[in-house]
């Protein structure tokens, strides 16, 4: 691929030079001799002084020549834009590339929150490269004040406006869910802009009420190659649903997991996945639709121990569901992790499953009372086992982690295992050994 691109550049550059050389020769050969009748003679002869018309011809040729040069300059710039990127300098956070395969656009989904300024300010503060991470703000709702805030960033962001602001026909009992229908429509339109109109190969989706951590961009840059190479993964998320302060290990800021639960809230997908999902994209409740078995297809996402996003949007179509109880307590990472310099091979499906399950099921089995009353001996980790849907929900609620399930999958769950910290010790809440699959009736 590199040799082909290099040959294309040399060929186009040769044509560029050759064309302009021909133009110069044509101009030189068409210097303005003019035929004139000499007094007393019947024949025409050349005189060196050009006529008014000859000068005009030359001026027009010069103008044409300049226009052609400008056109060729634009073509050459287009050629240069397809160059193979240079190796980035060691230690430099600037990774300027022109190849769209290496560009990760950030798609900010916006509506009517003027507080989007907090989101955009953090993205711009931590963004290491405008070329590598273009910020696209897609706005629905047509809210003038929010639009004004977005436009105040000028060329730092690209402002896209979803054109269809009409109400969506829904069943009478779904009128109260009109907002969810519009959100789903907006996502479909915005992702089509990213992948079909702008032809990007990946994207990170951020809602307008998310604040990002300092290593947010580093995190996604490091995990993009893994997402591309591992067909058992279908997304990378910056979010830990159980990532409240006290439920995560502050000493494990670099720790990443595979999860069967689609987390959202700052997540990356590839164009190939969108091509799979777009034809059947739902009319509403797109995130729960993503969690159905027929969409997930036994694929996992990567998520961090400590979240790289924090939501500050209590008000929205969900009317603050989970916000007061869980989301406002999520811990945002504050220690920069150089993920691109770490070996992330442990996240590969076979390697991860083997080592993770071995660690989990080799941990001592304990009771809820021992966990809750602080009677555990040793540093851990420890395993606490659930036996049924109701048993899981009771344990999760009493332990303070999220107890809801989507198509049988618990939040942050991997093969029925939920990892969290309780009273300073690692706890694995697990299904019995020999777990095979999720039960969709557990919802």
């Amino acid at each position: 691929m590199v040799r082909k691109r290099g040959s294309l550049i040399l060929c186009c550059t040769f044509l560029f030079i050759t064309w302009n050389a021909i133009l110069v020769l044509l101009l030189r050969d068409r210097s303005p001799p003019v035929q004139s009748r000499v007094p007393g003679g019947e024949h025409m002869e050349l005189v060196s002084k050009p006529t008014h018309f000859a000068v005009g011809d030359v001026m027009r040729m010069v103008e044409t020549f300049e226009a052609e040069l400008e056109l060729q300059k634009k073509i050459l710039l287009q050629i240069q834009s397809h160059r193979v990127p240079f190796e980035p300098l060691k230690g430099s956070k600037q990774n300027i590339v022109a190849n769209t395969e290496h560009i990760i656009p950030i798609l900010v989904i916006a509506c009517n929150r003027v507080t989007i300024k907090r989101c955009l300010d953090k993205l711009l503060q931590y963004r290491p490269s405008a070329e590598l991470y273009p910020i696209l703000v897609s706005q629905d709702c047509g809210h003038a004040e929010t639009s004004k805030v977005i436009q105040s960033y000028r060329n730092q962001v690209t402002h896209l406006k979803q054109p269809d602001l009409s109400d969506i026909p829904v069943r009478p009992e779904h009128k109260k869910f009109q907002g969810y229908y519009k959100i789903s429509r907006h996502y479909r339109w915005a992702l089509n802009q990213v992948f079909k109109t702008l032809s990007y190969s990946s994207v990170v989706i951020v809602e307008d009420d998310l604040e990002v951590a300092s290593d947010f961009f580093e995190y996604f840059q490091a995990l993009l190659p893994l997402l591309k190479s591992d067909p058992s993964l279908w997304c990378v998320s910056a979010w830990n649903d159980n990532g409240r302060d006290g439920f995560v290990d502050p000493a494990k800021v670099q720790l990443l997991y595979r999860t069967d639960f689609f987390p959202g809230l700052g997540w990356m997908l590839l164009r190939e996945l969108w091509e799979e999902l777009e034809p059947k994209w739902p009319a509403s409740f797109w995130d729960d639709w993503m969690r159905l078995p027929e969409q997930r297809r036994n694929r996992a996402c990567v998520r961090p121990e400590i979240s790289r996003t924090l939501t500050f949007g209590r008000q929205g179509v969900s009317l603050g569901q989970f916000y007061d109880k869980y989301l406002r307590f999520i811990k945002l990472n504050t220690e920069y992790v150089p993920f691109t310099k770490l070996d992330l091979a442990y996240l590969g499906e076979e390697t991860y499953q083997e080592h993770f399950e071995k660690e989990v099921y080799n941990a001592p089995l304990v009771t809820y009372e021992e966990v809750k009353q602080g009677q555990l001996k040793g540093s851990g980790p420890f395993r606490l086992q659930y036996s049924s849907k109701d048993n899981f929900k009771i344990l999760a609620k009493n332990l303070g982690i999220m107890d809801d399930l989507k198509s049988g999958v618990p939040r942050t769950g991997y093969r029925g295992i939920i990892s969290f910290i309780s009273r300073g010790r690692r706890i694995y809440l697990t299904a019995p050994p020999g777990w095979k699959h999720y039960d969709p009736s557990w919802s």
Side-chain angles (χ1 to χ4, degrees):
M1 180 62 72
V2 172
R3 290 182 177 178
K4 288 182 178 179
R5 288 182 178 173
S7 298
L8 176 62
I9 293 169
L10 288 174
C11 179
C12 292
T13 304
F14 174 77
L15 291 174
F16 170 78
I17 296 170
T18 303
W19 173 252
N20 289 304
I22 291 171
L23 285 176
V24 171
L25 289 172
L26 286 173
L27 280 176
R28 187 183 66 183
D29 293 342
R30 291 186 58 182
S31 57
V34 180
Q35 288 186 318
S36 177
R37 184 178 300 274
V38 178
E42 297 296 328
H43 64 282
M44 305 291 290
E45 64 178 16
L46 296 176
V47 295
S48 60
K49 186 177 180 180
T51 67
H52 171 76
F53 297 105
V55 172
D57 287 342
V58 172
M59 293 302 296
R60 282 191 294 272
M61 289 181 65
V62 170
E63 291 172 357
T64 302
F65 181 53
E66 290 177 345
E68 187 65 30
L69 279 177
E70 186 63 28
L71 175 61
Q72 295 300 316
K73 178 182 176 183
K74 291 179 180 179
I75 294 173
L76 189 56
L77 288 173
Q78 290 177 349
I79 295 169
Q80 289 175 329
S81 72
H82 289 85
R83 289 179 301 177
V84 177
F86 293 107
E87 274 303 308
L89 294 175
K90 291 183 178 180
S92 172
K93 292 177 70 176
Q94 288 290 337
N95 187 10
I96 308 302
V97 296
N99 190 337
T100 58
E101 291 297 315
H102 299 276
I103 293 175
I104 308 176
I106 311 300
L107 175 63
V108 182
I109 299 293
C111 181
N112 58 359
R113 288 190 178 105
V114 294
T115 51
I116 189 176
K117 177 175 171 57
R118 177 175 170 182
C119 170
L120 294 178
D121 283 350
K122 286 297 181 181
L123 285 170
L124 291 169
Q125 177 183 346
Y126 296 132
R127 180 173 67 170
S129 164
E131 289 77 11
L132 188 61
Y133 304 102
I135 297 174
L136 315 173
V137 184
S138 181
Q139 186 188 4
D140 201 1
C141 309
H143 190 248
E145 289 302 311
T146 301
S147 181
K148 185 177 179 180
V149 171
I150 298 168
Q151 290 171 357
S152 70
Y153 288 87
R154 300 182 182 277
N155 63 353
Q156 294 183 92
V157 305
T158 299
H159 188 188
L160 308 174
K161 295 183 179 181
Q162 200 282 112
D164 186 0
L165 304 182
S166 64
D167 283 343
I168 299 172
V170 299
R171 302 193 306 270
E173 63 270 25
H174 271 213
K175 281 189 176 180
K176 61 182 178 181
F177 300 129
Q178 178 73 213
Y180 289 102
Y181 282 82
K182 290 185 175 182
I183 287 173
S184 191
R185 177 177 66 185
H186 184 196
Y187 266 79
R188 185 176 201 161
W189 181 86
L191 285 168
N192 276 332
Q193 296 304 302
V194 170
F195 291 122
K196 294 185 177 181
T197 303
L198 299 174
S199 299
Y200 287 113
S201 60
S202 64
V203 69
V204 174
I205 302 173
V206 175
E207 287 81 3
D208 58 358
D209 61 346
L210 290 183
E211 178 180 331
V212 303
S214 61
D215 57 358
F216 174 86
F217 295 94
E218 173 79 2
Y219 173 74
F220 284 109
Q221 183 185 357
L223 287 163
L224 178 59
L226 181 65
L227 183 61
K228 286 183 174 182
S229 63
D230 188 344
S232 70
L233 292 175
W234 70 325
C235 88
V236 174
S237 173
W239 181 258
N240 176 1
D241 275 298
N242 289 314
R244 291 190 293 162
D245 200 6
F247 287 73
V248 293
D249 186 348
K252 299 288 186 179
V253 292
Q254 80 286 354
L255 183 58
L256 306 179
Y257 297 83
R258 292 175 70 102
T259 176
D260 300 317
F261 190 89
F262 170 70
L265 294 177
W267 60 288
M268 177 166 62
L269 73 155
L270 302 179
R271 178 169 50 208
E272 291 79 6
L273 178 62
W274 181 240
E275 290 171 349
E276 172 193 325
L277 299 178
E278 195 269 342
K280 55 179 181 176
W281 190 250
S284 63
F285 305 107
W286 70 268
D287 49 349
D288 284 343
W289 176 84
M290 289 276 289
R291 292 162 182 151
L292 295 174
E294 51 266 41
Q295 269 65 256
R296 189 172 68 83
R297 293 168 49 193
N298 294 318
R299 292 173 291 191
C301 294
V302 174
R303 61 96 174 169
E305 166 78 0
I306 302 178
S307 291
R308 265 60 186 186
T309 53
L310 173 71
T311 178
F312 54 84
R314 183 181 185 278
Q315 298 301 322
V317 293
S318 63
L319 301 177
Q321 183 184 24
F322 296 130
Y323 185 84
D324 290 331
K325 191 173 182 180
Y326 295 104
L327 304 184
R328 70 190 183 99
F329 298 110
I330 294 292
K331 178 179 175 61
L332 181 66
N333 181 58
T334 57
E335 183 179 339
Y336 188 94
V337 176
F339 283 109
T340 56
K341 295 179 174 60
L342 301 182
D343 183 0
L344 303 179
Y346 71 91
L347 290 167
E349 182 179 26
E350 292 185 7
T351 301
Y352 186 85
Q353 182 177 327
E354 178 184 352
H355 288 84
F356 186 67
E357 289 191 340
K358 183 177 180 180
E359 177 179 327
V360 169
Y361 287 100
N362 282 344
L365 183 63
V366 297
T367 66
Y368 166 73
E369 288 73 20
E370 289 175 314
V371 175
K372 200 65 177 175
Q373 295 173 16
Q375 297 175 350
L376 301 177
K377 296 179 181 179
S379 58
F382 300 95
R383 183 167 67 89
L384 180 61
Q385 187 169 291
Y386 61 88
S387 57
S388 66
K389 170 187 172 182
D390 291 339
N391 183 224
F392 166 79
K393 293 181 82 68
I394 289 171
L395 286 172
K397 184 175 182 180
N398 289 336
L399 289 164
I401 62 175
M402 298 189 78
D403 64 346
D404 62 319
L405 303 115
K406 303 293 183 181
S407 298
V409 185
R411 291 181 184 266
T412 75
Y414 175 72
R415 297 181 62 81
I417 303 164
I418 300 93
S419 173
F420 62 98
I421 298 294
S422 179
R423 294 177 175 266
R425 291 177 171 85
R426 175 71 60 186
I427 304 295
Y428 295 119
L429 182 59
T430 77
W435 180 96
K436 296 298 182 183
H437 58 80
Y438 295 103
D439 184 348
S441 69
W442 287 26
S443 294

